[in-house]
Amino acid sequence: MGVMQRSRGTRLVCLLLAAVVLAQCGRGGRARELRVCADPNNLPFSNQKQEGFENKIAALLADDLHMKLNYLWQKQRQGFIGQTLGAKRCDVVMSVPTGYERVLSTPPYYRSGYVFVTVRRRHLEIKSFDDPLLRELKVGLHTIGSDGANSPPAHALARRGLAKNVVGYSMWGDASIENPPGQLIEAVANGDIDVAIAWGPIGGYFAKKYGKALVVTPAPADAGMPEQPFAFDISIGVRKDDKALAAQL
């Protein structure tokens, strides 16, 4: 092979290598990666072992988009969006309400409401927030953050004068507690409360541990509060200016 041919061959190899490198680079020349912010201890959604269903969905997305999946782990508390997406420490937050004003949301990928969780042997069979049984029972709810926000079930109970029956359980818990959302369902199983009203994925996931000992029943919307939704579409959230990534997802 002549010198000129070797030179052409070298240039061709360099061009091919450059094409490969460019194909692996995203905006700003960075390696293409799906940077997800998630709670490290929040099953059934996510944990640091990537056992949550949101972890599995993120992994599928990264694989389909030929991107490397990377996580920034942070407890999901007040200010989470501002400290993660807003600070550009990641590009994606899984599991946000569709249309949430702080993010640009994708089309929804699931929808859920709330559930009643009771002990089967007690045959409580609560049908709605108007059930007279609720006046006699100790009702467990998750408290949502430190911003004073109450869940739709909390509003429904308060409207009926049942606030005194409510026992609050932390949604996020102390860092030393494993799976803090599950404490609410554990309280039902242990008899500390009579009924839990939980977000559907939480109620179903943690009740499964107890087999047939617990009953999970959908909690219908409160007819007396037509303006208050009790079921929500859930999407992936990205920064509002990141329309390209939202479209890809």
Side-chain angles (χ1 to χ4, degrees):
M1 181 182 290
V3 173
M4 188 172 292
Q5 287 178 304
R6 284 198 299 271
S7 178
R8 284 202 198 100
T10 301
R11 284 201 300 272
L12 180 59
V13 169
C14 288
L15 286 171
L16 288 171
L17 285 173
V20 170
V21 170
L22 286 171
Q24 297 301 314
C25 292
R27 292 159 297 180
R30 290 185 289 108
R32 284 176 57 82
E33 56 181 347
L34 189 65
R35 300 190 304 159
V36 177
C37 281
D39 192 312
N41 184 26
N42 189 31
L43 288 178
F45 308 101
S46 64
N47 70 0
Q48 204 152 0
K49 296 178 182 178
Q50 301 185 36
E51 296 170 324
F53 74 84
E54 299 289 11
N55 298 130
K56 307 302 182 185
I57 292 171
L60 285 170
L61 286 170
D63 186 58
D64 282 351
L65 295 172
H66 307 291
M67 300 171 93
K68 180 181 179 182
L69 178 60
N70 284 321
Y71 277 100
L72 171 74
W73 300 108
Q74 179 159 321
K75 286 294 289 181
Q76 193 166 344
R77 301 185 185 277
Q78 186 180 15
F80 178 80
I81 295 295
Q83 295 165 12
T84 54
L85 277 185
K88 298 188 176 182
R89 299 170 68 202
C90 60
D91 305 306
V92 170
V93 170
M94 307 294 292
S95 197
V96 299
T98 304
Y100 179 47
E101 66 275 7
R102 298 287 306 279
V103 303
L104 177 61
S105 55
T106 66
Y109 56 96
Y110 82 89
R111 180 177 177 83
S112 182
Y114 293 86
V115 294
F116 298 117
V117 182
T118 57
V119 174
R120 185 178 298 276
R121 59 180 169 76
R122 295 189 61 187
H123 304 289
L124 294 176
E125 299 181 4
I126 299 166
K127 303 294 186 186
S128 75
F129 292 100
D130 288 314
D131 196 312
L133 268 176
L134 287 174
R135 297 196 170 275
E136 306 167 18
L137 302 178
K138 192 180 290 186
V139 183
L141 295 176
H142 277 129
T143 54
I144 311 297
S146 58
D147 57 0
N150 285 319
S151 66
H155 286 294
L157 294 172
R159 199 173 71 84
R160 291 164 173 78
L162 297 177
K164 64 183 185 307
N165 296 44
V166 172
V167 180
Y169 288 81
S170 173
M171 174 70 85
W172 313 123
D174 185 86
S176 63
I177 298 171
E178 187 174 3
N179 301 326
Q183 289 187 301
L184 174 61
I185 309 306
E186 184 180 353
V188 178
N190 292 343
D192 299 327
I193 56 177
D194 301 302
V195 55
I197 307 176
W199 178 239
I202 294 173
Y205 178 82
F206 288 106
K208 185 178 179 181
K209 168 184 174 181
Y210 299 95
K212 295 183 179 181
L214 299 183
V215 179
V216 180
T217 308
D222 183 353
M225 300 171 61
E227 75 289 349
Q228 172 65 71
F230 278 72
F232 298 88
D233 293 332
I234 301 299
S235 299
I236 299 169
V238 303
R239 277 183 295 281
K240 285 191 170 185
D241 61 355
D242 208 345
K243 294 179 180 179
L245 179 57
Q248 279 187 298
L249 295 172

PDB file of all heavy atoms in Angstrom, residues 17-33 66-67:
ATOM      1  N   LEU A  17     -14.293   7.304  13.644  1.00  0.00           N
ATOM      2  CA  LEU A  17     -14.208   7.455  15.102  1.00  0.00           C
ATOM      3  C   LEU A  17     -14.903   8.733  15.550  1.00  0.00           C
ATOM      4  O   LEU A  17     -15.606   8.751  16.559  1.00  0.00           O
ATOM      5  CB  LEU A  17     -12.740   7.461  15.550  1.00  0.00           C
ATOM      6  CG  LEU A  17     -12.044   6.108  15.537  1.00  0.00           C
ATOM      7  CD1 LEU A  17     -10.552   6.296  15.828  1.00  0.00           C
ATOM      8  CD2 LEU A  17     -12.656   5.156  16.559  1.00  0.00           C
ATOM      9  N   ALA A  18     -14.701   9.809  14.792  1.00  0.00           N
ATOM     10  CA  ALA A  18     -15.343  11.074  15.129  1.00  0.00           C
ATOM     11  C   ALA A  18     -16.853  10.948  15.076  1.00  0.00           C
ATOM     12  O   ALA A  18     -17.584  11.486  15.916  1.00  0.00           O
ATOM     13  CB  ALA A  18     -14.880  12.173  14.179  1.00  0.00           C
ATOM     14  N   ALA A  19     -17.357  10.211  14.062  1.00  0.00           N
ATOM     15  CA  ALA A  19     -18.805  10.020  13.941  1.00  0.00           C
ATOM     16  C   ALA A  19     -19.359   9.266  15.139  1.00  0.00           C
ATOM     17  O   ALA A  19     -20.435   9.584  15.652  1.00  0.00           O
ATOM     18  CB  ALA A  19     -19.120   9.262  12.647  1.00  0.00           C
ATOM     19  N   VAL A  20     -18.617   8.246  15.577  1.00  0.00           N
ATOM     20  CA  VAL A  20     -19.055   7.478  16.750  1.00  0.00           C
ATOM     21  C   VAL A  20     -19.107   8.364  17.987  1.00  0.00           C
ATOM     22  O   VAL A  20     -20.049   8.333  18.765  1.00  0.00           O
ATOM     23  CB  VAL A  20     -18.124   6.264  16.983  1.00  0.00           C
ATOM     24  CG1 VAL A  20     -18.427   5.614  18.325  1.00  0.00           C
ATOM     25  CG2 VAL A  20     -18.284   5.261  15.858  1.00  0.00           C
ATOM     26  N   VAL A  21     -18.055   9.175  18.165  1.00  0.00           N
ATOM     27  CA  VAL A  21     -18.006  10.065  19.323  1.00  0.00           C
ATOM     28  C   VAL A  21     -19.169  11.057  19.293  1.00  0.00           C
ATOM     29  O   VAL A  21     -19.847  11.283  20.286  1.00  0.00           O
ATOM     30  CB  VAL A  21     -16.654  10.819  19.372  1.00  0.00           C
ATOM     31  CG1 VAL A  21     -16.704  11.923  20.426  1.00  0.00           C
ATOM     32  CG2 VAL A  21     -15.526   9.842  19.680  1.00  0.00           C
ATOM     33  N   LEU A  22     -19.414  11.645  18.103  1.00  0.00           N
ATOM     34  CA  LEU A  22     -20.512  12.612  17.987  1.00  0.00           C
ATOM     35  C   LEU A  22     -21.850  11.957  18.252  1.00  0.00           C
ATOM     36  O   LEU A  22     -22.755  12.557  18.847  1.00  0.00           O
ATOM     37  CB  LEU A  22     -20.506  13.234  16.583  1.00  0.00           C
ATOM     38  CG  LEU A  22     -19.406  14.257  16.326  1.00  0.00           C
ATOM     39  CD1 LEU A  22     -19.383  14.633  14.847  1.00  0.00           C
ATOM     40  CD2 LEU A  22     -19.602  15.499  17.192  1.00  0.00           C
ATOM     41  N   ALA A  23     -22.012  10.708  17.823  1.00  0.00           N
ATOM     42  CA  ALA A  23     -23.280   9.998  18.047  1.00  0.00           C
ATOM     43  C   ALA A  23     -23.531   9.759  19.512  1.00  0.00           C
ATOM     44  O   ALA A  23     -24.670   9.601  19.943  1.00  0.00           O
ATOM     45  CB  ALA A  23     -23.268   8.664  17.294  1.00  0.00           C
ATOM     46  N   GLN A  24     -22.459   9.692  20.282  1.00  0.00           N
ATOM     47  CA  GLN A  24     -22.593   9.451  21.719  1.00  0.00           C
ATOM     48  C   GLN A  24     -22.687  10.737  22.517  1.00  0.00           C
ATOM     49  O   GLN A  24     -22.740  10.699  23.748  1.00  0.00           O
ATOM     50  CB  GLN A  24     -21.393   8.625  22.231  1.00  0.00           C
ATOM     51  CG  GLN A  24     -21.293   7.241  21.630  1.00  0.00           C
ATOM     52  CD  GLN A  24     -22.529   6.416  21.903  1.00  0.00           C
ATOM     53  OE1 GLN A  24     -23.009   6.398  23.025  1.00  0.00           O
ATOM     54  NE2 GLN A  24     -23.048   5.744  20.884  1.00  0.00           N
ATOM     55  N   CYS A  25     -22.699  11.866  21.855  1.00  0.00           N
ATOM     56  CA  CYS A  25     -22.738  13.147  22.557  1.00  0.00           C
ATOM     57  C   CYS A  25     -24.097  13.799  22.411  1.00  0.00           C
ATOM     58  O   CYS A  25     -24.726  13.715  21.353  1.00  0.00           O
ATOM     59  CB  CYS A  25     -21.663  14.095  22.015  1.00  0.00           C
ATOM     60  SG  CYS A  25     -20.000  13.541  22.411  1.00  0.00           S
ATOM     61  N   GLY A  26     -24.514  14.424  23.442  1.00  0.00           N
ATOM     62  CA  GLY A  26     -25.797  15.125  23.426  1.00  0.00           C
ATOM     63  C   GLY A  26     -25.577  16.607  23.355  1.00  0.00           C
ATOM     64  O   GLY A  26     -24.561  17.096  22.873  1.00  0.00           O
ATOM     65  N   ARG A  27     -26.549  17.341  23.854  1.00  0.00           N
ATOM     66  CA  ARG A  27     -26.475  18.791  23.849  1.00  0.00           C
ATOM     67  C   ARG A  27     -25.226  19.258  24.590  1.00  0.00           C
ATOM     68  O   ARG A  27     -24.884  18.734  25.633  1.00  0.00           O
ATOM     69  CB  ARG A  27     -27.709  19.359  24.534  1.00  0.00           C
ATOM     70  CG  ARG A  27     -28.981  19.118  23.753  1.00  0.00           C
ATOM     71  CD  ARG A  27     -30.174  19.218  24.659  1.00  0.00           C
ATOM     72  NE  ARG A  27     -30.112  18.173  25.676  1.00  0.00           N
ATOM     73  CZ  ARG A  27     -31.037  18.028  26.608  1.00  0.00           C
ATOM     74  NH1 ARG A  27     -32.042  18.848  26.677  1.00  0.00           N
ATOM     75  NH2 ARG A  27     -30.928  17.060  27.504  1.00  0.00           N
ATOM     76  N   GLY A  28     -24.555  20.246  23.998  1.00  0.00           N
ATOM     77  CA  GLY A  28     -23.383  20.821  24.652  1.00  0.00           C
ATOM     78  C   GLY A  28     -22.172  19.926  24.599  1.00  0.00           C
ATOM     79  O   GLY A  28     -21.200  20.150  25.300  1.00  0.00           O
ATOM     80  N   GLY A  29     -22.228  18.837  23.778  1.00  0.00           N
ATOM     81  CA  GLY A  29     -21.073  17.970  23.642  1.00  0.00           C
ATOM     82  C   GLY A  29     -20.911  16.971  24.766  1.00  0.00           C
ATOM     83  O   GLY A  29     -19.942  16.252  24.805  1.00  0.00           O
ATOM     84  N   ARG A  30     -21.896  16.919  25.689  1.00  0.00           N
ATOM     85  CA  ARG A  30     -21.772  15.956  26.781  1.00  0.00           C
ATOM     86  C   ARG A  30     -22.159  14.568  26.299  1.00  0.00           C
ATOM     87  O   ARG A  30     -22.924  14.411  25.358  1.00  0.00           O
ATOM     88  CB  ARG A  30     -22.688  16.358  27.949  1.00  0.00           C
ATOM     89  CG  ARG A  30     -22.236  17.599  28.676  1.00  0.00           C
ATOM     90  CD  ARG A  30     -23.104  17.858  29.886  1.00  0.00           C
ATOM     91  NE  ARG A  30     -24.444  18.295  29.513  1.00  0.00           N
ATOM     92  CZ  ARG A  30     -25.526  17.557  29.637  1.00  0.00           C
ATOM     93  NH1 ARG A  30     -25.451  16.309  30.084  1.00  0.00           N
ATOM     94  NH2 ARG A  30     -26.716  18.036  29.309  1.00  0.00           N
ATOM     95  N   ALA A  31     -21.646  13.533  26.953  1.00  0.00           N
ATOM     96  CA  ALA A  31     -22.076  12.175  26.656  1.00  0.00           C
ATOM     97  C   ALA A  31     -23.570  12.091  26.890  1.00  0.00           C
ATOM     98  O   ALA A  31     -24.097  12.663  27.846  1.00  0.00           O
ATOM     99  CB  ALA A  31     -21.331  11.187  27.558  1.00  0.00           C
ATOM    100  N   ARG A  32     -24.294  11.415  25.983  1.00  0.00           N
ATOM    101  CA  ARG A  32     -25.739  11.305  26.120  1.00  0.00           C
ATOM    102  C   ARG A  32     -26.073  10.503  27.364  1.00  0.00           C
ATOM    103  O   ARG A  32     -25.672   9.345  27.492  1.00  0.00           O
ATOM    104  CB  ARG A  32     -26.334  10.647  24.875  1.00  0.00           C
ATOM    105  CG  ARG A  32     -26.410  11.586  23.676  1.00  0.00           C
ATOM    106  CD  ARG A  32     -26.911  10.871  22.447  1.00  0.00           C
ATOM    107  NE  ARG A  32     -28.209  10.249  22.663  1.00  0.00           N
ATOM    108  CZ  ARG A  32     -29.374  10.907  22.576  1.00  0.00           C
ATOM    109  NH1 ARG A  32     -29.375  12.193  22.299  1.00  0.00           N
ATOM    110  NH2 ARG A  32     -30.511  10.282  22.749  1.00  0.00           N
ATOM    111  N   GLU A  33     -26.808  11.135  28.259  1.00  0.00           N
ATOM    112  CA  GLU A  33     -27.200  10.444  29.478  1.00  0.00           C
ATOM    113  C   GLU A  33     -28.579  10.919  29.906  1.00  0.00           C
ATOM    114  O   GLU A  33     -28.980  12.040  29.627  1.00  0.00           O
ATOM    115  CB  GLU A  33     -26.180  10.686  30.602  1.00  0.00           C
ATOM    116  CG  GLU A  33     -25.938  12.142  30.912  1.00  0.00           C
ATOM    117  CD  GLU A  33     -24.895  12.345  32.013  1.00  0.00           C
ATOM    118  OE1 GLU A  33     -24.550  11.368  32.686  1.00  0.00           O
ATOM    119  OE2 GLU A  33     -24.452  13.487  32.184  1.00  0.00           O
ATOM    120  N   HIS A  66     -31.080   4.928  23.938  1.00  0.00           N
ATOM    121  CA  HIS A  66     -29.637   4.691  23.834  1.00  0.00           C
ATOM    122  C   HIS A  66     -28.871   5.723  24.663  1.00  0.00           C
ATOM    123  O   HIS A  66     -27.880   6.309  24.206  1.00  0.00           O
ATOM    124  CB  HIS A  66     -29.189   4.722  22.371  1.00  0.00           C
ATOM    125  CG  HIS A  66     -29.967   3.802  21.490  1.00  0.00           C
ATOM    126  ND1 HIS A  66     -29.872   2.430  21.582  1.00  0.00           N
ATOM    127  CD2 HIS A  66     -30.891   4.057  20.519  1.00  0.00           C
ATOM    128  CE1 HIS A  66     -30.684   1.872  20.696  1.00  0.00           C
ATOM    129  NE2 HIS A  66     -31.317   2.835  20.042  1.00  0.00           N
ATOM    130  N   MET A  67     -29.337   5.929  25.876  1.00  0.00           N
ATOM    131  CA  MET A  67     -28.706   6.875  26.788  1.00  0.00           C
ATOM    132  C   MET A  67     -28.243   6.132  28.043  1.00  0.00           C
ATOM    133  O   MET A  67     -28.815   5.109  28.428  1.00  0.00           O
ATOM    134  CB  MET A  67     -29.692   7.980  27.182  1.00  0.00           C
ATOM    135  CG  MET A  67     -30.216   8.795  26.005  1.00  0.00           C
ATOM    136  SD  MET A  67     -31.574   9.911  26.465  1.00  0.00           S
ATOM    137  CE  MET A  67     -30.653  11.402  26.827  1.00  0.00           C
TER     138      MET A  67
END
